[in-house]
Amino acid sequence: MVYKKIIRRKKQSYFLKSVAAVGTICLVTGSIVLAKTLLDPGGKVEKIENLVEEHTLYESDTEEEKIVIDIQTELLNKDCLYQNGIPIAKHILEIQIDFYTADQQIYVENGTMLILQDQGKGIFLEENEKVKISVKQENMNKQPGHTFEIGYIENGKPFKVDTVEVEQYEVWLKGGTQREYFPYFKNISSDRIILNYHIVKERMEK
């Protein structure tokens, strides 16, 4: 009887240890997945605390000849992905937004091009319309402002408007014959940037 009880206790102990081990593995794996979710190359800022605490997973240097682009969009033509044999960005992805919602906040990791779209559509402008894109950098941990490129994609081609190094900036895009613009931000600094932006459509005076 005593022997049987000892054996049962040992089996129960092994079982509990196994459950604890499996639980630990699941917890660690879950944490890795969560970190990966928080550390996508770019997207909307849900909680600023997460970005301050976490560090990017995309900062490792890669030899130019072996750079593989992470492409998550069909808005760019394939022949526009490289310039002089060098990728235009390490990560190219879209983000779903409402263009005209005020003061939206996004983050963009180093080497990432983040394209704005609304249900797969861009900003449509007639000849008498224009849009103003206002951008403000949010400095993390009192760091100085970083450098990013602002531009748009039209008919599958990227067009750079300007390289921005200041804290606040605004640019105008004018309309044409049913022109469709997909605005983009590209981080060309070494660190993550956080941007507040606001898009306003207006009619041009005749």
Side-chain angles (χ1 to χ4, degrees):
M1 293 286 291
V2 173
Y3 179 74
K4 286 183 178 179
K5 287 181 179 179
I6 292 173
I7 295 298
R8 286 176 182 172
R9 285 176 182 173
K10 284 186 177 179
K11 286 183 178 179
Q12 187 178 18
S13 177
Y14 292 148
F15 174 74
L16 292 174
K17 288 180 180 178
S18 300
V19 171
V22 172
T24 302
I25 292 172
C26 291
L27 180 61
V28 172
T29 306
S31 299
I32 293 173
V33 172
L34 178 59
K36 180 68 173 178
T37 301
L38 293 174
L39 296 173
D40 281 342
K44 296 179 181 178
V45 174
E46 301 297 339
K47 291 184 178 180
I48 194 70
E49 294 83 4
N50 293 336
L51 294 178
V52 174
E53 293 171 0
E54 298 291 345
H55 297 282
T56 178
L57 297 178
Y58 301 96
E59 290 297 325
S60 58
D61 293 330
T62 309
E63 296 179 18
E64 289 187 2
E65 297 179 356
K66 298 181 180 179
I67 294 177
V68 177
I69 311 179
D70 172 23
I71 305 172
Q72 300 180 33
T73 181
E74 295 182 355
L75 296 175
L76 275 169
N77 295 336
K78 291 182 179 179
D79 58 354
C80 296
L81 298 177
Y82 293 83
Q83 292 180 353
N84 299 321
I86 300 176
I88 61 173
K90 290 190 295 184
H91 307 276
I92 305 174
L93 63 152
E94 302 173 13
I95 180 173
Q96 167 64 37
I97 57 105
D98 180 352
F99 284 121
Y100 307 112
T101 298
D103 299 325
Q104 301 185 73
Q105 193 173 61
I106 58 174
Y107 71 96
V108 191
E109 299 289 1
N110 160 257
T112 297
M113 174 186 283
L114 192 60
I115 304 170
L116 310 184
Q117 52 88 14
D118 185 2
Q119 304 296 330
K121 296 182 179 179
I123 299 174
F124 286 93
L125 295 178
E126 301 287 354
E127 290 186 3
N128 63 337
E129 293 178 324
K130 61 181 179 179
V131 292
K132 180 176 70 172
I133 303 176
S134 303
V135 187
K136 179 181 179 182
Q137 289 200 57
E138 288 289 334
N139 294 336
M140 295 189 343
N141 298 329
K142 298 182 180 180
Q143 295 177 357
H146 302 302
T147 305
F148 66 93
E149 178 181 308
I150 184 171
Y152 61 90
I153 295 169
E154 184 181 12
N155 296 324
K157 297 181 179 181
F159 296 91
K160 183 178 80 170
V161 175
D162 207 349
T163 299
V164 184
E165 298 180 2
V166 295
E167 183 179 356
Q168 297 189 51
Y169 181 83
E170 65 179 38
V171 62
W172 290 90
L173 300 180
K174 297 182 179 180
T177 306
Q178 272 293 323
R179 298 183 70 173
E180 183 181 18
Y181 296 102
F182 291 91
Y184 75 77
F185 300 105
K186 183 167 70 173
N187 185 350
I188 55 178
S189 65
S190 59
D191 301 303
R192 174 190 295 132
I193 58 174
I194 298 178
L195 302 174
N196 281 314
Y197 70 93
H198 189 196
I199 300 176
V200 179
K201 181 188 285 190
E202 298 181 4
R203 289 191 173 274
M204 293 187 288
E205 297 180 0
K206 294 182 178 180

